[in-house]
Amino acid sequence: MGKKHKSEEKEAKQVETDEERRAEKKARKKDKKANQSDEKPSNEPLPNSNKYCISYAIASSTIDHCTSLEQATNIAYSLARAAVIFSVDEIVVFDDTPVKAGADTVSASAAFLAKALQYLETPPYLRKQLFTRCDELDACDAFPPVAAHHHLSNSEWLPYREGVVLKSEAGKGSYVDIGLDRMCFIPENLPERQRITVSVGSEAQTEFFPAYSETMIKGCVSSPFAPKLDSEIGSQVSAWGFRVRLVRSLSKVMKNAALPPRNASSSSSSKKEKGGAYDVVIGTSIEGAETDPASLVLPKFQRILIVFGGAKGLTQALQADPDLKDRTPEDVFNLFLNTCPGPLSGQKISMRAEEAVLVTLGFLQNTIYKFGGIL
């Protein structure tokens, strides 16, 4: 009896100990969850989050000094890499040659720069379908990939992929190449050779489609900005490509931004008159004001545009535009800054535009993070 009593007492203590451990474990989980909730910032935008968009504009004369196609392509590659590194959403190429009355065409430099940037931004598996081969694009292929987050290999899986419509028939849906071993089926009838962003889910769902006599991955069309706006993976794919826009002059840069709609909470009155489609527009030049980035203050914004001049600088680009030639940089931009102060200031050594883009985006990075967000 004594042994039985001791055994029962031991079992009771074990049960009590197990219950205490479970209760303690549950309490730790609750505390951890509470701590995580407390530590999460309420209003501060996460770096490269979906709360703001970054654009930069570059003058076409940036490549006018080049003596070979390889040199010009190297500059385009540098500009594309800068956009990827700093998660830029849009690059605007503007023609800064003097505008002639009635002229609506752009210079060869502007056309080349925009086309090269579009090509470099495009995932390699789509380029053959979307571009006609030429010497300019062959030169781009000599450079390494820009390593944007949407440049996926056929062994990588994310809930989104870029694709191109290869076939489409009314009532049969669309046959889309998304860079995988299987094609993707979209139930909608889409224009052929159109590039689209496709949502394919967290894992592949396949089905046999008699219309195309093939087993394909099921997908649906998404906004090009959907990956960055996705609450689950947005912070992991902040460099999901950039839009390229080509305009005839500097004054047209501030119009028709290729960006997602503004947050519903922002009012039209919050848009800056100088910025047009943008909330904050910063002009950059060695003639601009010098400032410490730590003390730089911006209004809250959803869209910021940083403008770079070409071979003759931003002031000359203003003079080349009939709509802006009588205005000063301070009239056109919210801020007119020298973002490369120090050793080069006041010297005859000039910084090339592609170098200035990298330096400036780094100079403004913390400021953009601090003030970018919901208006």
Side-chain angles (χ1 to χ4, degrees), residues 253-276:
V253 168
M254 273 71 93
K255 303 173 183 177
N256 303 318
L259 297 171
R262 292 174 183 276
N263 187 284
S265 65
S266 67
S267 62
S268 59
S269 61
S270 66
K271 292 166 60 176
K272 301 295 180 183
E273 182 181 349
K274 294 179 182 178

Side-chain angles (χ1 to χ4, degrees), residues 23-229:
E24 185 179 350
K25 188 175 181 181
K26 189 174 180 181
R28 281 200 303 266
K29 282 185 177 179
K30 188 174 181 180
D31 290 343
K32 185 177 180 182
K33 188 174 181 182
N35 289 338
Q36 287 175 341
S37 177
D38 292 341
E39 290 171 3
K40 186 177 180 181
S42 57
N43 296 318
E44 291 184 13
L46 298 173
N48 307 322
S49 73
N50 59 7
K51 295 185 178 180
Y52 55 82
C53 294
I54 305 171
S55 301
Y56 79 74
I58 188 77
S60 61
S61 65
T62 296
I63 60 172
D64 282 354
H65 69 280
C66 296
T67 58
S68 68
L69 176 60
E70 289 71 22
Q71 289 181 5
T73 306
N74 184 43
I75 291 175
Y77 178 79
S78 298
L79 295 172
R81 276 293 294 158
V84 171
I85 291 168
F86 291 99
S87 300
V88 169
D89 299 278
E90 177 194 41
I91 300 178
V92 188
V93 177
F94 67 94
D95 193 342
D96 59 337
T97 57
V99 178
K100 296 180 181 179
D104 196 31
T105 57
V106 297
S107 66
S109 294
F112 165 80
L113 195 53
K115 187 174 184 180
L117 288 168
Q118 288 174 333
Y119 185 81
L120 290 165
E121 185 275 342
T122 302
Y125 62 84
L126 295 182
R127 291 173 180 174
K128 184 178 179 181
Q129 303 292 343
L130 294 173
F131 294 88
T132 302
R133 301 306 306 173
C134 60
D135 292 342
E136 288 89 345
L137 301 184
D138 288 339
C140 291
D141 284 333
F143 289 85
V146 295
H149 288 142
H150 64 314
H151 287 203
L152 301 170
S153 69
N154 60 8
S155 62
E156 295 178 285
W157 186 271
L158 281 176
Y160 302 91
R161 291 186 78 94
E162 295 298 299
V164 60
V165 181
L166 300 183
K167 299 180 203 174
S168 184
E169 295 182 34
K172 295 183 178 180
S174 300
Y175 182 87
V176 182
D177 182 1
I178 57 173
L180 295 173
D181 295 335
R182 292 187 184 278
M183 294 295 173
C184 180
F185 177 79
I186 303 291
E188 302 172 41
N189 183 30
L190 303 169
E192 293 184 1
R193 293 179 62 83
Q194 176 178 305
R195 176 176 164 179
I196 58 174
T197 301
V198 181
S199 174
V200 289
S202 57
E203 58 183 31
Q205 296 185 11
T206 60
E207 186 177 326
F208 180 79
F209 293 93
Y212 292 103
S213 302
E214 191 172 328
T215 298
M216 296 192 281
I217 297 169
K218 297 167 67 176
C220 60
V221 180
S222 292
S223 160
F225 302 100
K228 290 186 179 184
L229 297 171

Side-chain angles (χ1 to χ4, degrees), residues 261-326:
R262 292 174 183 276
N263 187 284
S265 65
S266 67
S267 62
S268 59
S269 61
S270 66
K271 292 166 60 176
K272 301 295 180 183
E273 182 181 349
K274 294 179 182 178
Y278 303 92
D279 304 305
V280 176
V281 181
I282 299 176
T284 63
S285 170
I286 199 169
E287 300 171 0
E290 294 188 13
T291 183
D292 176 9
S295 61
L296 189 59
V297 177
L298 300 178
K300 292 290 283 186
F301 65 87
Q302 285 186 4
R303 298 174 173 182
I304 187 169
L305 171 69
I306 307 157
V307 185
F308 300 89
K312 297 181 179 180
L314 196 51
T315 304
Q316 186 61 36
L318 291 174
Q319 297 302 312
D321 190 328
D323 294 333
L324 300 175
K325 65 180 183 180
D326 297 325

